[in-house]
Amino acid sequence: MTYRPQEDYCGEYMRYLGVAKTARRSYAESVRLLAARGFRDIDSFKTLKAGDKVYRGYEDRTVMAAVIGKKRIAEAGLKVVGGHTDAPRLDLKPRPLYEKGGCVYFDCHIYGGIKKYQWLTLPLALYGRIVRRDGSFVDVAVGDNPGDPVFMISDILPHLGKDQAKKTRDEFFEAEDLDPVAWTTPGEKLERKGGVGDEGGARTGAADRKGLVAYLKKAYRVEEEDLLSAELEIVPAGLPREVGFDRALITGYGHDDRVCSFAGLQALLDAADDVPDVTASILMCDKEEIGSMGSTGMQSSFFENTVAELIERQEKNARDILVRRALERSTMLSADVTAAADPHFPDVDSTGNEARLHGGVAASKYTGGTSKGGASDCGPEFIAKIRDILAKGDVRWQMAELGKMEKGGGGTISQYMARFGMKVLDMGTPMWNMHAPWEIVSKSDCYQTYRAYSAYLRS
């Protein structure tokens, strides 16, 4: 089995990560890459035969793609690599503009698990879509192009922060204040206080949102009311960068979990011209960071509906029992990141069972918390089969847990797929700074993740 060179792969991943700042943008770029390799929307197929390359998207955020195998899906199921493309961020509220102290702010709601303080004083970008009442829409992308403005959340200076310093990490900055400044230009009239002239008092020019609303109308042809039907996200501004003189690490926003979902996508693209025995497929889904809820999350029926659509085009009779049998006969690598041991914080590591940077892709038999709550807990037979695939594919990998018991825990989409009776193993890239605005992964681990998914899909 041949793989593309590591630096070529990592360069393409960094380019993708810089584009895919949101689930919508990830979807658009993924569909573009799929189409370039000959994949077609499922609605263009009346029947499916071995070797056909097909994808099905939903709401411009979740997509499943497959290379149809020689064995019928109803008979043999599918091989699936499934990850997510949403990441922790700040979402603008439905009424997102408010004035305070002479400034106009974006009113934000936290999406996913974050440490609030990490989002202070960083350059931030604005992405999303505004849908007008007539259904027309405009896409917004501000903060990453040359010459773009950025947005920022201010923090108090250390000279005046003694009271703040006495509070806990979660207390010193309220979630409701996690709002970037959007506009500060005062109106034409300036109010003078305390006397005549600058010497007699402070001259204040209060910005109001009328100026910002006028700007939005001119730039995007939208009214303030149109923001009621908008999906606007605040994310870190800036493109991925290499870390260290050896350039062995990559920092960027959204490694969790685009580093794994892209690896699955690239593995499928590389295998697109091979006709597998069992249908090879990938999932790139939304909403994992908030529990996989909603119509584009993995607790929805998107996956089984898509499998039914595939079977209908093979059997002309996607009876419920055929879909159920196909799902139960399927296998999956749940493509999600795990924590890498950080030398600064050794007390949280499960000694001997922690993932290490440059140690290769990490497999986790289970996730969850202290009691394995929320874990699918993969059986040893499937782990043995994956071990054999990785060995034959010359993949460097490690087995790992997500930290010590009673120190926390986490989950993936594996539990929502295992409920079909599928054999599911969590396998993804180790990471520093998980859920921070700028996360860190190892180039070699990124590459071994891609190799692992390639070996699995081609096995």
Side-chain angles (χ1 to χ4, degrees), residues 16-17 20-28 30 60-63 82-89 111 233 253-262 265 283-289 296 335-336 413:
Y16 169 86
L17 190 63
K21 284 291 189 84
T22 69
R24 280 186 185 274
R25 289 175 67 87
S26 172
Y27 174 91
S30 300
D60 293 343
R61 282 179 292 243
T62 290
V63 64
H84 66 93
T85 58
D86 61 318
R89 60 180 190 257
Y111 177 99
E233 305 170 13
Y253 166 67
H255 282 316
D256 181 7
D257 183 41
R258 293 162 196 153
V259 67
C260 294
S261 58
F262 177 79
L265 172 64
L283 268 170
M284 302 174 77
C285 62
D286 186 24
K287 297 290 190 290
E288 193 275 345
E289 297 295 359
T296 55
D336 208 341
I413 64 172

Side-chain angles (χ1 to χ4, degrees), residues 436-455:
W438 290 87
E439 298 167 319
I440 296 176
V441 294
S442 154
K443 283 185 179 179
S444 63
D445 294 339
C446 293
Y447 185 58
Q448 294 301 321
T449 302
Y450 149 73
R451 290 176 63 125
Y453 300 162
S454 294

Side-chain angles (χ1 to χ4, degrees), residues 312-390:
E312 176 64 23
R313 285 161 174 78
Q314 285 191 322
E315 309 291 336
K316 299 302 179 184
N317 182 7
R319 290 180 297 149
D320 181 67
I321 189 60
L322 294 182
V323 177
R324 289 176 178 270
R325 286 171 180 166
L327 292 171
E328 194 170 81
R329 292 166 181 170
S330 298
T331 61
M332 177 183 179
L333 292 182
S334 175
D336 208 341
V337 299
T338 191
D342 189 327
H344 285 309
F345 307 100
D347 291 344
V348 301
D349 293 332
S350 179
T351 307
N353 283 287
E354 70 276 11
R356 296 280 178 179
L357 286 186
H358 306 315
V361 63
S364 299
K365 185 179 186 298
Y366 46 81
T367 54
T370 298
S371 61
K372 295 188 182 180
S376 63
D377 205 353
C378 182
E381 294 83 2
F382 187 53
I383 295 174
K385 180 177 289 188
I386 296 300
R387 285 177 57 209
D388 185 54
I389 291 172
L390 298 179

Side-chain angles (χ1 to χ4, degrees), residues 96-109:
L97 308 180
Y98 73 93
E99 303 161 25
K100 181 171 67 173
C103 299
V104 182
Y105 291 90
F106 287 136
D107 200 3
C108 292
H109 198 114

Side-chain angles (χ1 to χ4, degrees), residues 393-410:
D394 193 26
V395 177
R396 186 167 68 252
W397 71 284
Q398 53 190 315
M399 187 70 85
E401 286 196 348
L402 185 64
K404 285 182 179 177
M405 292 187 291
E406 299 184 336
K407 292 293 186 180

Side-chain angles (χ1 to χ4, degrees), residues 9 31 63 91 109 282 285 309:
Y9 173 78
V31 168
V63 64
D91 285 347
H109 198 114
I282 60 162
C285 62
E309 293 282 359

Side-chain angles (χ1 to χ4, degrees), residues 131-195:
V131 183
R132 305 180 186 93
R133 197 173 63 180
D134 64 1
S136 63
F137 63 86
V138 59
D139 287 329
V140 178
V142 182
D144 281 321
N145 292 319
D148 276 1
V150 295
F151 309 94
M152 294 189 77
I153 303 169
S154 59
D155 190 18
I156 194 170
L157 62 163
H159 311 69
L160 302 177
K162 292 183 179 180
D163 290 340
Q164 182 194 61
K166 297 175 183 177
K167 299 179 180 180
T168 67
R169 184 200 74 182
D170 292 330
E171 293 172 342
F172 83 80
F173 205 94
E174 298 290 337
E176 288 291 347
D177 290 332
L178 210 60
D179 300 330
V181 63
W183 190 269
T184 58
T185 305
E188 292 183 2
K189 294 183 179 180
L190 298 179
E191 178 186 358
R192 298 175 183 271
K193 295 183 178 180

